[in-house]
Amino acid sequence: MTEPGRRVTYMDLPRQFADGEVVRRVAEEFSRCRFVLGPQVAEFESRFARLCGAAHAVGLNSGTDALFLALKALGAGAGDEVITVPNSFVATAGAIVMAGATPVFVDVNAEYLMDPAGLEDAITPRTRAIIPVHLTGNPADMDAVGAVASRHRLAVIEDAAQAVGASIGSRRVGSIGEAGAFSLFPLKNLGVAGDGGMLTTNSAAVADRVRLLRHHGLRNRDEVEVFGYNSRLDTLQAIVGDAVLAGVEQVAETRIRHAQLYDRALAPLAPHVIVPPRRAGVRQVFHTYVVQVEARDRLMPFLESRGVETKIHYPIPIHLQKAAESLGYKRGSFPVCEAQTGRILSLPVHEYLTDDDLEYVVAQLMEFYPR
Amino acid sequence: MRVPYSSLREQFADSEAILRDIKGLLETTQFTLGPAVARFEAAFARICGARFAVGVGTGTDALFLSLKALGVGPGDEVITAANTFIATAGAIVAAGARPAFVDATDDFNIDPAGIERAITPRTRAIMPVHYAGQPARMGAILLIAAAHRLPVVEDACQAIGASVDGRLVSSFGVAAGFSLHPLKNLNVWGDGGVIVTSSEELDATLRLLRNHGLRNRDEVEIFGYNSRLDTLHAIVGNHLITEVEAITAARIRNARALDAGLLPLAPRVRIPARHANERHVFHLYMFEADDRDRLRAYLIERGVEAKIHYPVPLHLQPAGRRLGYREGDFPEAERQAKRIITLPVHQHLSQDQVDYMVEVVTDFYGTGSRR
């Protein structure tokens, strides 16, 4: 069933801004010429904190910086090790290196998430923190991770860059660990018109420390308490974020509905297409919809020829990147992650897809894999 | 009469053209390293007479990334001025190195003799500051750097368009960091920075470092950072970069008028020496004043928003004292910190406002100080 001219794009960012609301707000607010911090940032922070069920949110320049500053605020630095997963976006490991620490990877489970079973073995006397990643918008097993962390007195920082609005039971991500790091990158479920990030925490001390660190360590205009950084969420981006935040629950609900439709329709394609297991009681927000497929190298161009844009998140795991050479890992270090890397495929799942689009994608997959 | 310190409202009173381009950006949604960034970088390199310009998140990051690209890290020392904005030292500390401070000369400039004395076997770079928009003594500094084979990274955050003997700042060192903070002579609508270099190798490394070390979408060459100039800010920058010469000329004109009006108040007012071979671009108009704190209060009471850049030198900040510095280490910077004051000098000042400021300062020493 090919439909010439049919396009199912991976993202439809222009639609997000098509109603002109953001331009209207920017035009209205910029004339106040508050470009750095100020009340608009504070308001966006408090709405974001509420959204995550966290006591505090601090607006930063990027999701990477949110991880980095969380590590700095919790005292991770040179000589320390921080445990995370190798199948994340490189920024997770980048933030650890930036803090002066060494990333230590553990393998993942069938849901592409940190496998808590591998944690104990990865802990050394130098371990300082654990960064589970809520990859694809699916919360990591925070109970199991938290149990190991508290046994060894380690801080847990949630990499929630892809997971705004996700939850485990009644607990939203970003409110479970010592700190949560969110990205407001344009492609995210809550994206702004450039780079932006947010750190959430229930600790007043962590929030205060990160507020100092993001603004040169300045306690006030003239007093420098600590040497810090410059990592402020732009006021203009906070204005954009505030406008987008109003719709974020709806975005998540739509993506969840799309994912459920895919889940049902693709189940019969096993074992050619493997949908990861879904846990009850967990709200996944589907920043990405990732399945494992056979013959991916042929499938992707086939789908592209049918107008369906797909992606791979990510084709090279971090431990096999050139940047990681000095960390001493090799092929075979993380067999589950590596097996998934050769098979994962991200299908379009964004909020502007129609049921018809989704059915069209499913039909192409059905056609590709003969019964 | 009111003389506000900043003139952002006047500068952006008619921003139809900028807003139109931002509306266009929200349609194309090329928010991250979009074509406007490359265009801005090319224009910036051109006005600096340099081969390359790299747009980054902030001026602080411009300095930090330059140091990282040069391989500066833990155990290293970087020499800089004690009388600068905190970010200069913050960038050095962020790179893992230790700032080694140097005293100021009587025109608020970093003292080359002090640089020579501060060099140790651990010194890895010299970071002179073109403070207030006045070029540092680059001739002497380059001789010292060459003798000790040390790279020079120019802190040009306040000094776009400044020159010595017709040679523009950023052309002296291996790299120079600029800030596009809203209060700068060339500004954007939030945080932004630029690194200028004529080294192809540094340019390539900096482009990697600002974007997670990504060689392409999938390959990570080195662990990097997320520090990109937002496309949105590049759009604003593209509109303003054509005005920077006019802005600079207006600031110089205002500074000359203030000089002429205040010189007769010597010795209670001390205008620093102006050097005929230097083009000082007056990001700040600073002078020394007797009874400074009362003068400032007197000015503010009469509507003149006078400031102090900065009341506490870096080595006496809590963050600086922890490096082992104490009162008396840099007598000139310490003496100046108690006497310096900054008057508005922005490009939207009227002749009346300039005259008024002179009148208020004159009144203060004529009658005000005896009240």
Side-chain angles (χ1 to χ4, degrees), chain A residues 199-211:
Chain A
L199 177 138
T200 55
T201 181
N202 290 320
S203 154
V206 169
D208 179 69
R209 187 76 179 171
V210 173
R211 281 179 204 283

Side-chain angles (χ1 to χ4, degrees), chain B residues 312-326:
Chain B
V312 184
L314 299 191
H315 69 289
L316 299 182
Q317 291 284 357
R321 283 181 191 270
R322 252 173 269 131
L323 296 173
Y325 290 104
R326 54 178 190 276

Side-chain angles (χ1 to χ4, degrees), chain A residues 56-263:
Chain A
H56 311 276
V58 186
L60 304 168
N61 185 53
S62 67
T64 309
D65 281 4
L67 285 170
F68 164 68
L69 292 173
L71 287 166
K72 291 311 268 187
L74 292 165
D80 294 334
E81 292 174 358
V82 177
I83 300 174
T84 192
V85 288
N87 66 338
S88 184
F89 180 59
V90 64
T92 311
I96 295 169
V97 174
M98 190 177 176
T102 304
V104 171
F105 299 114
V106 295
D107 211 346
V108 296
N109 60 23
E111 290 183 68
Y112 321 126
L113 301 174
M114 176 176 275
D115 185 353
L119 274 179
E120 289 280 359
D121 284 347
I123 291 171
T124 76
R126 300 158 86 97
T127 307
R128 198 58 194 266
I130 304 175
I131 304 185
V133 181
H134 305 311
L135 201 72
T136 75
N138 185 18
D141 185 346
M142 295 304 292
D143 287 338
V145 171
V148 175
S150 62
R151 203 152 47 237
H152 295 271
R153 303 167 152 270
L154 302 172
V156 175
I157 298 166
E158 300 174 65
D159 181 341
Q162 304 187 346
V164 65
S167 58
I168 304 170
S170 59
R171 293 173 301 162
R172 286 258 160 140
V173 301
S175 70
I176 306 170
E178 267 72 35
F182 292 84
S183 163
L184 306 174
F185 184 74
L187 296 177
K188 295 302 193 307
N189 289 16
L190 199 177
V192 297
D195 280 312
M198 195 68 86
L199 177 138
T200 55
T201 181
N202 290 320
S203 154
V206 169
D208 179 69
R209 187 76 179 171
V210 173
R211 281 179 204 283
L212 264 184
L213 291 177
R214 75 166 168 184
H215 187 47
H216 302 295
L218 284 162
R219 178 55 73 192
N220 50 51
R221 182 187 177 277
D222 298 326
E223 269 176 283
V224 185
E225 188 157 318
V226 291
F227 288 112
Y229 312 92
N230 181 349
S231 181
R232 303 172 288 225
L233 176 66
D234 277 332
T235 308
L236 276 185
Q237 301 296 7
I239 291 163
V240 176
D242 220 26
V244 175
L245 187 142
V248 73
E249 288 294 352
Q250 192 53 50
V251 167
E253 280 308 310
T254 308
R255 284 168 174 258
I256 290 168
R257 206 168 49 72
H258 291 168
Q260 285 167 346
L261 189 150
Y262 273 143
D263 278 3

Side-chain angles (χ1 to χ4, degrees), chain B residues 145-193:
Chain B
H148 295 270
R149 299 165 161 276
L150 291 169
V152 172
V153 175
E154 298 171 62
D155 179 347
C157 283
Q158 303 186 343
I160 186 154
S163 62
V164 187
D165 295 321
R167 189 171 162 190
L168 286 163
V169 300
S170 84
S171 68
F172 298 99
V174 291
F178 290 86
S179 164
L180 305 171
H181 182 276
L183 293 179
K184 294 301 193 297
N185 292 14
L186 172 58
N187 52 354
V188 296
W189 288 2
D191 280 311

Side-chain angles (χ1 to χ4, degrees), chain B residues 46-78:
Chain B
R46 206 175 319 119
I47 66 166
C48 290
R51 287 181 69 197
F52 308 104
V54 184
V56 296
T58 64
T60 310
D61 280 2
L63 299 174
F64 162 72
L65 292 170
S66 298
L67 292 174
K68 288 317 266 186
L70 290 168
V72 172
D76 295 334
E77 292 174 4
V78 176

